[in-house]
Amino acid sequence: MVAAPSFLIADDHPMVRDALASALGQAFPGAGIAMAATLAQVQAALDREPETDALLLDLDMPGMDGLTGVALLRSEHPIVPIIVVSAAREPAVVRRAYEFGASAYIDKSASLEEIVGTVGAVLDGEIFAPPEAEPTDTFAQRAAQLTPQQWRVLALMIQGDQNKQIAHKLSVGEATVKAHVTVILRKLGVRSRTQAVIEARSLAIPTAEPVRP
């Protein structure tokens, strides 16, 4: 017998989580369904269940910092398929999500039937194509090369933390943080910490909307 799939639904709106959980439970009998409302909860859940079959991820959620959260999760858990479920419809945002490793991108205005269909396709190994690219988003591509720890440092930089604060939060030495910042600036192709933060903030995502039943 094929084991029932396991899902992690990550959205800070309880009604959205419940609607998705109900739809997935009906479409995939016996499926294991976990919930998360913040990036930290997603990370903890994936640490507990690293072989989760699919993560349904909202972009506008505490801790996500736009698409930086997608890149961080992809670098920490490279084998877990990420299905973005977002209200953001801009082609550039969708492209960036795929560049950062999403297997599929679903508009929150889609019906639950459409969402379930996409989830089923991803479970079957499909990876959906991003919109036709305009000029390449070179910053997003460079950012995708950061390691998990470098993403953590960058996320704290975006929040305004200085090296000493970052060192305390990550339980590392300040010299280690300085070294990470140097590498981050080089990988991103920027000259200053301020420029890195401004560019990274451009990955922010519009406020989410409810899933349509």
Side-chain angles (χ1 to χ4, degrees):
M1 289 183 62
V2 177
S6 58
F7 299 110
L8 174 57
I9 298 172
D11 196 295
D12 59 344
H13 294 282
M15 290 181 63
V16 173
R17 294 197 303 270
D18 291 345
L20 290 173
S22 176
L24 292 175
Q26 291 178 29
F28 304 96
I33 300 176
M35 307 278 202
T38 68
L39 176 61
Q41 290 178 9
V42 173
Q43 291 172 302
L46 291 179
D47 286 343
R48 289 191 301 269
E49 297 291 342
E51 295 186 4
T52 296
D53 289 302
L55 164 62
L56 280 73
L57 182 67
D58 178 28
L59 297 179
D60 182 37
M61 194 172 57
M64 285 292 291
D65 289 319
L67 284 161
T68 59
V70 177
L72 177 58
L73 292 170
R74 169 51 60 238
S75 61
E76 291 179 338
H77 298 278
I79 68 170
V80 177
I82 296 175
I83 302 170
V84 173
V85 184
S86 175
R89 300 178 177 88
E90 295 83 352
V93 173
V94 179
R95 274 200 312 279
R96 288 176 188 147
Y98 281 106
E99 287 172 3
F100 286 144
S103 295
Y105 192 106
I106 305 172
D107 191 320
K108 275 196 173 182
S109 66
S111 68
L112 290 173
E113 290 76 12
E114 291 176 281
I115 294 174
V116 166
T118 299
V119 171
V122 170
L123 292 180
D124 288 338
E126 290 189 34
I127 296 178
F128 291 77
E132 286 299 320
E134 300 157 2
T136 303
D137 188 343
T138 54
F139 179 81
Q141 289 187 332
R142 292 193 300 267
Q145 306 306 310
L146 298 180
T147 66
Q149 188 73 337
Q150 288 162 1
W151 271 111
R152 295 185 190 102
V153 172
L154 179 59
L156 292 172
M157 288 167 56
I158 294 170
Q159 294 176 20
D161 288 356
Q162 298 303 309
N163 288 351
K164 186 174 183 179
Q165 295 167 296
I166 295 173
H168 175 72
K169 290 181 178 179
L170 298 182
S171 300
V172 298
E174 192 170 349
T176 299
V177 174
K178 289 180 180 178
H180 277 310
V181 172
T182 298
V183 174
I184 289 168
L185 299 185
R186 185 175 73 244
K187 284 186 175 181
L188 296 182
V190 297
R191 295 184 178 182
S192 70
R193 185 189 190 102
T194 300
Q195 187 181 358
V197 170
I198 291 172
E199 292 279 6
R201 281 178 176 160
S202 72
L203 302 178
I205 299 303
T207 302
E209 297 172 358
V211 169
R212 188 179 69 199

